Amino acid sequence: MPIIGPGPDDPENDHWDPAWEDHDTPFRRWLYEKLTAAGLEYAAAADAAGLYAPANQYTGLDDINMGIIAALTGAGTAAVRAAHKADLADWARERQLRDHPDVAVLDADLDRIRHRS
């Protein structure tokens, strides 16, 4: 199936992390909880959370997407914006930790050990 939009090797994807597709984030949990509370089936809620959660960190959410999420969840745009900002703050803390030299060395060692087996 052809890729619609930038491909994995395009410069637009330089900061894309494939783990975002299923990475458990505060925004993904918030969105899933709100969608299921609003009556969406579990699978549909998980799919929607899988669509919007990576976009939240990678490209951000514009007013249209915030409005769609607010309508789907029954939450106001202020609640969506607050969940969005909390997620970005959590992600910034995670990046700071990952950028710490000692953690980077540990991560490289763990990757090396994983690939050895």
Side-chain angles (χ1 to χ4, degrees):
M1 172 173 251
I3 295 174
I4 299 173
D9 297 328
D10 290 341
E12 293 179 45
N13 284 332
D14 283 350
H15 302 291
W16 173 255
D17 183 349
W20 289 347
E21 293 176 11
D22 59 4
H23 186 70
D24 184 32
T25 66
F27 186 74
R28 182 185 291 259
R29 287 189 301 271
W30 178 88
L31 184 55
Y32 180 79
E33 288 171 14
K34 294 294 182 186
L35 289 170
T36 54
L40 235 58
E41 294 181 11
Y42 296 117
D47 288 345
L51 173 69
Y52 285 109
N56 182 53
Q57 291 183 348
Y58 183 55
T59 59
L61 295 175
D62 59 17
D63 290 340
I64 293 172
N65 285 322
M66 286 213 188
I68 291 170
I69 293 170
L72 289 172
T73 61
T77 54
V80 176
R81 192 173 317 301
H84 163 73
K85 287 181 178 181
D87 190 60
L88 294 181
D90 184 72
W91 185 42
R93 285 188 301 274
E94 182 179 321
R95 283 193 324 253
Q96 284 178 329
L97 181 61
R98 286 182 184 206
D99 290 343
H100 192 281
D102 294 336
V103 175
V105 169
L106 175 62
D107 186 46
D109 284 342
L110 292 173
D111 283 345
R112 182 181 47 77
I113 290 168
R114 183 185 76 193
H115 285 72
R116 215 183 321 164
S117 41

